[in-house]
Amino acid sequence: MKKTKLVLLTLVPIVIGWLINRLIMTPIIGMLLFYVLPLGVMIFWFWLGKQYAKTDWSFLVSIIISSTTGLISLALYVWQFLFETDETRDIFIAGLSQMYSAATPIYLFGWLANLFEAQPNYIGRATFLAVQVISVVILLAVFISGYIKGKKR
């Protein structure tokens, strides 16, 4: 597979996250997609890791390229939600920064984010930031697993 195509495929979580956010309020199908598409993204990300293993890129370069989308999303999230006020926040950038995490199965790993709050059973800024970080870490782990599986063949 061409390297340009592999790089462009790292945008899939953003596209799927956008799709989930657009359709979440659609009766029946919205919730179905909320649960199914993130699992599909994880399967796709594993497959993408295997595809990167077939290239002549090193392990480190493959990790950096595949994680760039998630890291940019995380940086945009931190910028918009930690360094901007509600009045100065750019709604487009703030929304875009959350698309990557929307494409991961938050319903499976979201409880981990709550561990970063000082108060039990409270969902605040630390929880939302932790969800963003956990999303990047989860897809990174899935990608690495796919990469290792691809190199073993």
Side-chain angles (χ1 to χ4, degrees), residues 7 11 20 27 30 33 44 81 106 137 142 148:
V7 172
L11 297 173
I20 290 170
L33 293 176
F44 171 77
F81 289 95
I106 299 167
V137 171
V142 170
I148 291 169

Side-chain angles (χ1 to χ4, degrees), residues 104-115:
T104 59
I106 299 167
Y107 52 87
L108 294 177
F109 306 104
W111 62 272
L112 289 171
N114 204 22
L115 298 175

Side-chain angles (χ1 to χ4, degrees), residues 18-147:
W18 176 84
L19 185 64
I20 290 170
N21 280 334
R22 295 294 297 168
L23 298 175
I24 192 75
M25 297 305 287
T26 305
I28 301 169
I29 194 163
M31 287 309 291
L32 178 67
L33 293 176
F34 173 78
Y35 286 106
V36 173
L37 286 179
L39 295 175
V41 168
M42 288 188 62
I43 292 167
F44 171 77
W45 215 244
F46 183 84
W47 174 83
L48 190 63
K50 288 172 58 176
Q51 298 309 305
Y52 270 74
K54 295 176 186 176
T55 66
D56 59 351
W57 284 331
S58 70
F59 177 73
L60 185 60
V61 169
S62 296
I63 296 296
I64 291 170
I65 292 170
S66 68
S67 299
T68 299
T69 308
L71 293 174
I72 290 172
S73 293
L74 180 60
L76 290 174
Y77 183 87
V78 168
W79 170 38
Q80 288 298 303
F81 289 95
L82 299 183
F83 297 121
E84 297 289 339
T85 64
D86 289 343
E87 294 81 23
T88 62
R89 185 173 298 135
D90 184 314
I91 194 75
F92 175 76
I93 295 173
L96 182 65
S97 71
Q98 298 174 65
M99 297 302 155
Y100 190 86
S101 64
T104 59
I106 299 167
Y107 52 87
L108 294 177
F109 306 104
W111 62 272
L112 289 171
N114 204 22
L115 298 175
F116 293 93
E117 284 294 346
Q119 301 172 14
N121 300 321
Y122 175 74
I123 298 174
R125 183 176 281 181
T127 304
F128 294 122
L129 179 59
V131 164
Q132 302 299 317
V133 173
I134 290 168
S135 296
V136 172
V137 171
I138 287 170
L139 285 185
L140 176 63
V142 170
F143 181 87
I144 290 172
S145 299
Y147 188 92

